[in-house]
């Protein structure tokens, strides 16, 4: 597993979770970023890993940095800036590409610009393979198995708090594009914000949730035949990230996770049937790492079902993928099915 994985943005908050988890599982990733000093600091913790400086404005530096890898993981956001140059390099070199983008437009652009080119280059590209974009897509896929047509997928994300990183704040500021909702079987500009009260299990409990146009709208709608997708986020977490006073996440455990708790519940309906599934865990940045690691292992062992641009739910066996995750990272409930009137 020497040098098979190249991580761009390796010294960022999310990048570091990924490096730690890959290293702990025996991978020896190549650590890449634009800042030599930050790479050197990270390198003190991983003296045996190769580091490379590469800049998205100098494509030749990207090609050199990625040359030895099989998979490029891009953890450097805003992805509206970094995804295109890095994917261009992946296509030139014939390497697979995975990222953690949370911006709808970045994910849409990747599908639109690179689907054909990725197929021609014989590579797989998976945007949004993370807490936002990826996890909800996996849950929705396993939940709707056997249903050829789904009336609604509603995704409820409850966070007890959200201390955003610098990258999250920058990405929010950079993303001033049209947001989309999914209704009547198609993407449409967001017209309204809906809110309701949702009962999450302990410790999140009862929360006001509001519709937020997340990247799951894009990933889920690419491959599930669904009429309507609604993505809700707890209002308290939006208040947190909108305040300049909210601090960055602080590590509190041996995996450097913060104390943040999350719960993601997905409810799917078809005719008079309703199914639901719940994923729970600690720290939405940290949990992105095991999702990416699982995707990497599956790509390297040929368990990917599709070439070109795809999603975690479409590209892999979603049920098997979720069951492979460690309960210390994420706990997934059984699927509950009920009749509704
Ligand atoms: N979908 C999800 O669930 C999910 C989960 C985690 C993170 N994310 C996304 O991942 C991104 C990073 O988040 P983070 O928490 O890791 O933030 P972070 O700690 O601030 O790290 C950001 C990283 O991106 C790099 N970067 C930013 N702009 C760059 C550019 N133009 N060229 C090269 N490198 C650039 C930074 O390098 P410098 O330090 O040199 O600027 C740094 O390595 C954000 O867009 C965030 O939304 C998404």
């Amino acid at each position: 597993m020497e040098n098979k994985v190249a991580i761009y943005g390796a010294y960022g908050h999310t990048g570091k979770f990924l490096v730690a988890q890959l290293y702990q599982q025996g991978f020896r990733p190549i650590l890449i970023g634009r800042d030599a000093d930050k790479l050197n600091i990270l390198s003190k913790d991983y003296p045996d890993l190769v580091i490379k400086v590469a800049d998205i404005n100098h494509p030749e530096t990207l090609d050199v940095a990625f040359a030895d890898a099989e998979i490029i993981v891009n953890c450097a956001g805003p992805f509206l800036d970094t995804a295109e140059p890095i994917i261009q390099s992946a296509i030139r070199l014939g390497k697979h590409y995975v990222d953690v983008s949370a911006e709808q437009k970045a994910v849409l652009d990747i599908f639109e610009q690179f689907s054909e080119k990725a197929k021609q280059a014989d590579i797989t590209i998976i945007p949004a393979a993370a807490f936002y974009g990826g996890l909800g897509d996996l849950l929705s896929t396993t939940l709707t198995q056997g249903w050829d047509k789904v009336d609604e997928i509603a995704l409820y994300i409850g966070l007890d708090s959200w201390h955003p990183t610098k990258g999250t704040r920058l990405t929010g500021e950079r993303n001033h594009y049209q947001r989309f909702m999914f209704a009547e079987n198609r993407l449409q500009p967001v017209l309204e914000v809906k809110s309701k009260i949702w009962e999450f299990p302990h410790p999140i409990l009862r929360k006001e949730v509001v519709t937020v146009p997340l990247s799951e709208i894009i990933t889920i709608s690419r491959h599930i035949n669904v009429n309507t997708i609604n993505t809700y986020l707890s209002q308290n977490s939006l208040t947190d990230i909108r305040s300049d006073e909210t601090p960055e996440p602080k590590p509190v455990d041996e995996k450097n996770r913060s104390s943040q708790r999350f719960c993601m519940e997905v409810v799917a309906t078809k005719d008079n049937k309703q199914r639901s599934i719940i994923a729970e865990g600690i720290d939405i940045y940290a949990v992105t790492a095991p999702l990416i690691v699982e995707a990497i292992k599956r790509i390297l062992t040929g368990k990917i079902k599709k070439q070109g641009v795809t999603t975690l739910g479409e590209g892999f066996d979603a049920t098997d993928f979720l069951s492979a995750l460690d309960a210390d990272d994420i706990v997934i409930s059984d699927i509950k099915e009920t009749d509704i009137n």
Side-chain angles (χ1 to χ4, degrees):
M1 291 187 283
E2 191 80 8
N3 297 345
K4 284 196 187 288
V5 183
I7 305 176
Y8 193 78
Y11 53 74
H13 187 74
T14 308
K16 281 199 273 195
F17 280 118
L18 180 60
V19 174
Q21 181 132 156
L22 281 170
Y23 193 85
Q24 195 252 329
Q25 297 200 23
F27 286 87
R28 294 296 172 260
I30 306 164
L31 310 180
I32 309 169
R34 63 175 166 183
D35 187 318
D37 291 341
K38 291 179 184 173
L39 278 175
N40 282 323
I41 293 169
L42 179 63
S43 180
K44 292 201 174 111
D45 291 333
Y46 305 98
D48 54 331
L49 298 192
V50 173
I51 58 171
K52 292 192 176 168
V53 180
D55 189 322
I56 57 167
N57 300 310
H58 298 284
E60 66 289 354
T61 62
L62 296 174
D63 290 2
V64 170
F66 300 142
D68 293 333
E70 280 185 39
I71 302 178
I72 300 162
V73 183
N74 181 8
C75 292
F79 294 88
L80 285 161
D81 298 325
T82 66
E84 186 185 335
I86 295 180
I87 292 177
Q88 296 282 18
S89 176
I91 287 173
R92 281 194 297 277
L93 300 169
K95 314 286 183 186
H96 303 295
Y97 170 94
V98 177
D99 76 28
V100 300
S101 48
E103 309 106 294
Q104 283 190 334
K105 178 162 167 56
V107 179
L108 254 183
D109 286 354
I110 292 173
F111 273 101
E112 280 166 14
Q113 287 179 38
F114 296 111
S115 287
E116 275 317 304
K117 287 181 186 154
K119 272 188 219 150
Q120 284 162 15
D122 231 11
I123 62 166
T124 297
I125 291 179
I126 308 179
F131 177 79
Y132 290 111
L135 178 59
D137 179 47
L138 284 163
L139 294 169
S140 301
T141 309
T142 192
L143 195 60
T144 58
Q145 225 163 33
W147 286 359
D148 55 347
K149 200 175 151 294
V150 184
D151 297 329
E152 187 198 2
I153 292 174
L155 196 128
Y156 299 90
I157 298 174
L159 308 176
D160 63 354
S161 65
W162 186 354
H163 292 185
T165 60
K166 190 171 145 228
T168 296
R169 288 195 187 276
L170 274 176
T171 299
E173 286 158 23
R174 171 80 175 80
N175 188 9
H176 45 74
Y177 294 92
Q178 172 71 59
R179 310 294 163 101
F180 293 101
M181 55 182 216
F182 196 82
E184 296 161 342
N185 253 146
R186 63 191 169 89
L187 291 176
Q188 305 187 30
V190 169
L191 298 177
E192 51 164 0
V193 176
K194 291 182 279 190
S195 86
K196 61 161 101 167
I197 300 296
W198 192 253
E199 302 281 348
F200 291 100
H202 179 81
I204 310 291
L205 303 174
R206 187 181 168 86
K207 289 271 183 295
E208 182 191 359
V209 293
V210 294
T211 47
V212 176
L214 300 172
S215 52
E216 287 83 347
I217 302 260
I218 313 299
T219 53
I220 293 169
S221 67
R222 295 303 299 197
H223 67 104
I224 296 179
N225 183 13
V226 57
N227 185 276
T228 305
I229 305 172
N230 282 306
T231 50
Y232 294 89
L233 190 56
S234 59
Q235 176 62 51
N236 65 306
S237 43
L238 285 174
T239 306
D240 276 352
I241 60 166
R242 286 173 184 161
S243 163
D244 292 339
E245 308 299 310
T246 309
E248 295 199 17
K250 248 199 348 252
V252 298
D253 72 7
E254 73 294 342
K255 288 185 172 176
N256 285 328
R257 294 179 293 197
S258 70
S259 59
Q260 180 195 43
R261 303 294 299 255
F262 70 80
C263 176
M264 186 182 284
E265 179 162 5
V266 184
V267 181
T269 45
K270 174 183 165 57
D271 304 327
N272 67 336
K273 295 273 179 222
Q274 184 167 82
R275 293 179 184 168
S276 64
I277 189 167
I278 295 178
E280 294 171 273
I282 300 168
D283 192 330
I284 61 174
Y285 297 95
V287 80
T288 290
L291 295 171
I292 298 266
V293 171
E294 192 54 37
I296 287 171
K297 285 185 193 163
R298 283 168 190 257
I299 293 172
L300 289 176
T301 54
K303 287 188 186 161
I304 181 91
K305 296 195 284 185
K306 200 184 155 200
Q307 269 169 339
V309 183
T310 186
T311 69
L312 287 185
E314 183 190 40
F316 303 108
D317 176 333
T319 309
D320 193 52
F321 189 114
L322 289 168
S323 69
L325 300 172
D326 190 312
D328 186 55
D329 295 319
I330 190 161
V331 176
I332 315 272
S333 74
D334 290 335
I335 291 175
K336 219 163 67 186
E337 182 168 306
T338 49
D339 287 329
I340 48 172
N341 296 317

